[in-house]
Amino acid sequence: GSGEGGVEFRDVSFTYPGAEEPVLRNISFKARKGETVAIIGSTGSGKTSVLNLIPRFYDVAEGEVLVDGIDVRRYSQHALRAKLGYVSQRAVLFSGTVSGNVAYGGSAAPGSDAEEGVRRAVAIAQGTDFVERMEGQYEGRIAQGGDNVSGGQKQRLSIARAVYRQPDIYLFDDSFSALDYRTDRELRAALRRETGGATTIIVAQRIGTIKDADRILVLEDGRIVGSGTHEELLQDCETYQEIALS
Ligand code: DGT
Ligand code: MG
């Protein structure tokens, strides 16, 4: 098995319901407990599709997806999702307070432990400065769809929402794309420091975001065409070289 916090794909191929062609073919990789595995590849290469199989937004027909060494189909929805901190490619905020958004609808009344958790999560997500500048701060209002916060602020709040839940496994789908380089780096450093031992799978477009991952998977047309560290891939993966040098 992959051990606690581990994620493993065993020869997974996947076709969306109603589609003719598989979007993923023979995907195999392991993220062991505490490791960071990054997925990079051009638009449409299948990165989101890989992540979607872990919380079972879709089920595979071929191969196996394992969490903690157990086939994801054997978990209850609740037990599986409790292990995962999924941050989707498009940050989704709802109308309500900052706290309510981070605690995902749970109440985080001022002075409660939940509020403490919200503050901590926002701090890790590098959101303290802008939240404390907002009118009402943690009780400040987020408009429908998050229209009164910027793209990068939205991303930070949706990352804070995942951090708040203290998952064993983080799944970040291009969740750092709207952050400037420094915030991106500081956020990832804070995550490593404060969530010690969490396994992380991170989809990204920027080399800077994934360079220090334990392993990088390069996807092309639904297949893994390269796997290794940044240095290894620079040596021997043409697709990676193209991305890195672009
Ligand atoms: P991105 O986010 O633009 O960088 O692209 P990826 O790498 O995340 O690509 P992904 O996994 O969203 O899409 C891979 C392929 O699967 C692409 O040809 C579009 C197709 N696809 C994505 N979502 C669906 C879906 O819900 N239904 C069907 N039939 N096809 C989908
Ligand atoms: Mg995507």
Side-chain angles (χ1 to χ4, degrees):
S2 350
E4 193 186 89
V7 176
E8 184 177 353
F9 275 54
R10 284 190 192 152
D11 204 17
V12 168
S13 296
F14 173 65
T15 306
Y16 279 104
E20 311 229 311
E21 290 286 304
V23 287
L24 299 176
R25 298 173 200 256
N26 308 105
I27 302 291
S28 294
F29 71 91
K30 259 189 206 178
R32 295 181 190 81
K33 180 178 166 53
E35 281 186 336
T36 296
V37 170
I39 305 177
I40 199 164
S42 58
T43 180
S45 58
K47 305 178 297 295
T48 295
S49 302
V50 168
L51 284 195
N52 280 347
L53 298 176
I54 302 168
R56 285 188 68 193
F57 296 150
Y58 296 94
D59 275 330
V60 299
E62 277 175 72
E64 270 187 303
V65 177
L66 302 106
V67 166
D68 291 352
I70 297 168
D71 192 312
V72 287
R73 286 170 291 202
R74 292 177 54 201
Y75 287 93
S76 71
Q77 194 86 300
H78 177 79
L80 182 61
R81 304 241 168 120
K83 288 175 180 285
L84 306 174
Y86 182 95
V87 182
S88 66
Q89 191 163 10
R90 290 183 57 197
V92 181
L93 299 181
F94 50 84
S95 76
T97 62
V98 169
S99 283
N101 267 278
V102 173
Y104 208 70
S107 82
S112 64
D113 287 352
E115 199 215 16
E116 229 2 82
V118 166
R119 284 174 187 264
R120 177 177 173 273
V122 168
I124 292 170
Q126 308 299 303
T128 305
D129 284 355
F130 85 80
V131 169
E132 296 194 344
R133 274 199 309 269
M134 278 175 72
E135 197 185 352
Q137 302 190 336
Y138 295 89
E139 298 311 302
R141 305 298 296 180
I142 301 287
Q144 183 65 41
D147 288 347
N148 62 333
V149 291
S150 75
Q153 291 168 343
K154 256 190 237 181
Q155 282 191 335
R156 281 179 274 179
L157 291 179
S158 54
I159 292 164
R161 180 187 290 158
V163 172
Y164 177 82
R165 299 174 54 244
Q166 303 188 281
D168 297 332
I169 299 162
Y170 283 97
L171 307 173
F172 291 119
D173 192 354
D174 218 355
S175 313
F176 307 97
S177 58
L179 304 181
D180 59 79
Y181 187 76
R182 203 180 107 215
T183 306
D184 174 351
R185 211 175 27 166
E186 285 172 359
L187 197 159
R188 286 179 297 103
L191 267 176
R192 262 197 309 278
R193 203 168 55 235
E194 302 290 334
T195 66
T199 306
T200 304
I201 301 182
I202 176 173
V203 167
Q205 307 280 357
R206 269 199 303 233
I207 294 284
T209 308
I210 61 160
K211 230 176 134 173
D212 47 6
D214 295 296
R215 193 153 45 264
I216 300 165
L217 310 176
V218 184
L219 270 191
E220 198 177 291
D221 291 334
R223 298 174 201 271
I224 295 178
V225 298
S227 166
T229 62
H230 175 70
E231 284 73 23
E232 288 164 353
L233 290 166
L234 275 182
Q235 288 283 318
D236 56 36
C237 178
E238 234 174 84
T239 308
Y240 191 79
Q241 290 163 0
E242 280 166 24
I243 299 168
L245 300 175
S246 65

